[in-house]
Amino acid sequence: MEPRLPDGVVGPNPDTLSPEKLEQLRDFKIQTRIANEKYLRSHKEVELLISGFFRELFLRRPDNILEFAADYFTDPRLPNKIHMQLIKEKKAA
């Protein structure tokens, strides 16, 4: 049985994709993953932000994670910390 749309019209099942559409979706997912990987590789600061956040999260183990995250990412010293880590890594390379 085909699903009914909000206005009562019967439409095609949105869970069913044609083989062509499945292939297009697969290609889109692959291209998106490649683009995301290229972006992350060219922006080391993203890795530093995320790894720094997780490091502090696991060290402190706060009860209120949302408040901790808000405080961590709004810390006015954070941009300078990331900048200094980038410089340190560049010197080590």
Side-chain angles (χ1 to χ4, degrees):
M1 177 180 203
E2 293 184 335
R4 292 201 176 270
L5 301 176
D7 58 4
V9 175
V10 175
N13 186 340
D15 295 330
T16 307
L17 294 176
S18 68
E20 180 183 314
K21 291 294 183 186
L22 283 170
E23 182 68 19
Q24 288 175 350
L25 178 60
R26 187 184 74 74
D27 289 344
F28 174 76
K29 286 179 177 181
I30 291 169
Q31 292 307 313
T32 300
R33 206 172 257 185
I34 290 169
N36 290 346
E37 182 68 25
K38 286 179 180 179
Y39 179 81
L40 290 174
R41 286 179 187 223
S42 67
H43 292 280
K44 180 71 175 164
E45 62 273 24
V46 174
E47 180 185 335
L48 294 172
L49 280 165
I50 301 302
S51 65
F53 171 72
F54 279 121
R55 182 180 54 251
E56 291 298 315
L57 179 73
F58 293 133
L59 286 172
R60 299 178 187 208
R61 299 190 182 274
D63 290 329
N64 188 332
I65 295 172
L66 294 178
E67 184 179 321
F68 175 79
D71 290 343
Y72 181 85
F73 287 110
T74 59
D75 181 350
R77 299 168 298 177
L78 185 58
N80 191 49
K81 287 180 187 178
I82 298 300
H83 180 71
M84 296 307 289
Q85 287 178 328
L86 287 168
I87 291 171
K88 184 178 176 182
E89 287 192 6
K90 215 175 231 186
K91 286 181 181 179

